[in-house]
């Protein structure tokens, strides 16, 4: 059984042969529960029984999809089959793509000016230029738990250590510039993220970071 990596945040991980890097998905077993990415369809198959066991029969209410890519959402149909009332939270671009693929489940678009609050969840969204044709995906910070899901933002850090300590200000300078060539959009995202102040960075690939507080960490 997967162990929590931070509070009630559970990480599922697989070494993806085709991508040649670790791919992580996360269940935040809050009330209501939310999943950050499904992984590929094969990952979704082995993750779902574990999610069911962790939630003890409670339904998974939300699925967050940062952008339309197989490691982010390849398993979305398998998830929806298991949880028919699942609400997908994603970018406007992926919302349109899902409709085009014939998805008929509920979809909410994450808006940077409109946080989503539901029970223990307090979700804030950030524009993240990560979709095809240089369109915007989204990132998410849950203020309830302090968890920030960073998707591919720090993808070049592919070391296999699971969790390390670090300062948010330093982490921000590790943004993978190769995956975000638009300097203006990258600077805008960094500025927005300075205010995120997470307690834990749940990375889509590589290492996760427990954010330090105090004199050498966050104020
Ligand atoms: Fe990606
Ligand atoms: Fe990714």
């Amino acid at each position: 059984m997967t162990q929590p990596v931070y509070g009630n945040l559970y990480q599922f991980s697989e070494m993806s042969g085709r991508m040649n890097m670790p791919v992580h998905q996360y269940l935040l077993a809050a009330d209501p529960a939310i999943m950050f990415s499904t992984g590929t369809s094969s990952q979704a198959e082995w993750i779902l029984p574990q999610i069911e066991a962790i939630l003890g029969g409670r339904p998974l209410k939300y699925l967050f999809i940062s952008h339309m890519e197989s490691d982010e959402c390849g398993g979305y149909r398998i998830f929806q089959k298991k949880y028919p009332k699942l609400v997908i939270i994603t970018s406007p671009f992926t919302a349109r793509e899902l409709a085009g693929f014939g998805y008929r489940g509920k979809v909410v678009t994450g808006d940077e000016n409109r946080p989503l609050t539901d029970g223990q969840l307090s979700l804030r969204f950030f524009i993240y230029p990560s979709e095809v044709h240089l369109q915007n995906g989204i990132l998410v910070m849950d203020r309830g738990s302090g968890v920030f899901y960073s998707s591919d933002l720090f993808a070049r850090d592919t070391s296999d250590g699971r969790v390390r300590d670090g300062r948010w200000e330093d982490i921000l300078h590790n943004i993978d510039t190769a995956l975000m060539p638009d300097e203006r959009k990258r600077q805008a995202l960094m500025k927005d993220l300075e205010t995120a102040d997470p307690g834990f960075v749940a990375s889509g690939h590589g290492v996760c970071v427990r954010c330090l507080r105090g004199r050498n960490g966050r104020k």
Side-chain angles (χ1 to χ4, degrees):
M1 172 64 69
T2 301
Q3 297 298 311
V5 288
Y6 180 75
N8 56 359
L9 182 76
Y10 292 78
Q11 182 193 64
F12 308 93
S13 190
E14 186 173 279
M15 190 68 192
S16 171
R18 293 186 183 215
M19 293 185 183
N20 197 26
M21 61 168 72
V23 178
H24 310 310
Q25 307 82 43
Y26 301 86
L27 168 68
L28 183 61
D31 185 13
I34 183 169
M35 191 77 195
F36 302 117
S37 132
T38 66
T40 61
S41 58
S42 64
Q43 283 174 288
E45 297 277 8
W46 67 260
I47 287 170
L48 274 167
Q50 296 200 37
I51 292 172
E52 186 174 20
I54 292 166
L55 294 179
R58 280 199 298 131
L60 177 69
K61 183 168 183 179
Y62 293 109
L63 167 61
F64 177 83
I65 299 174
S66 166
H67 55 277
M68 193 77 184
E69 206 169 16
S70 65
D71 62 320
E72 296 285 339
C73 63
Y76 73 88
R77 283 187 184 276
I78 301 169
F79 268 71
Q80 205 237 352
K81 194 171 173 194
K82 171 70 184 170
Y83 297 107
K85 293 183 177 173
L86 188 70
V87 178
I88 290 180
I89 305 171
T90 190
S91 68
F93 178 87
T94 292
R96 289 196 297 275
E97 289 295 302
L98 289 173
F101 279 105
Y103 185 75
R104 296 287 173 260
K106 186 164 185 195
V107 180
V108 170
T109 54
D111 184 328
E112 62 176 346
N113 296 312
R114 207 175 60 227
L116 189 159
T117 304
D118 183 359
Q120 294 177 327
L121 298 178
S122 178
L123 306 177
R124 181 182 166 197
F125 307 103
F126 301 87
I127 287 177
Y128 172 41
S130 54
E131 299 278 20
V132 296
H133 305 308
L134 302 177
Q135 298 209 42
N136 290 331
I138 52 172
L139 295 171
V140 64
M141 163 84 200
D142 175 45
R143 288 196 252 205
S145 61
V147 170
F148 173 67
Y149 172 63
S150 65
S151 185
D152 299 343
L153 198 59
F154 313 115
R156 72 184 153 184
D157 184 355
T158 56
S159 55
D160 55 7
R162 290 188 75 197
V163 180
R164 67 173 172 85
D165 291 334
R167 298 168 74 242
W168 179 231
E169 295 84 351
D170 297 335
I171 298 164
L172 275 183
H173 288 97
N174 242 349
I175 287 178
D176 195 332
T177 50
L179 292 177
M180 208 183 307
D182 188 318
E183 176 72 13
R184 188 178 52 84
K185 287 187 175 180
R186 184 159 47 84
Q187 291 296 339
L189 175 61
M190 279 184 73
K191 194 163 188 303
D192 286 347
L193 287 177
E194 278 173 10
T195 63
D197 197 29
F200 188 83
V201 178
S203 171
H205 306 275
V207 74
C208 293
V209 183
R210 196 184 301 107
C211 296
L212 297 169
R213 292 176 180 273
R215 279 189 61 173
N216 298 317
R218 293 177 298 146
K219 300 261 187 324

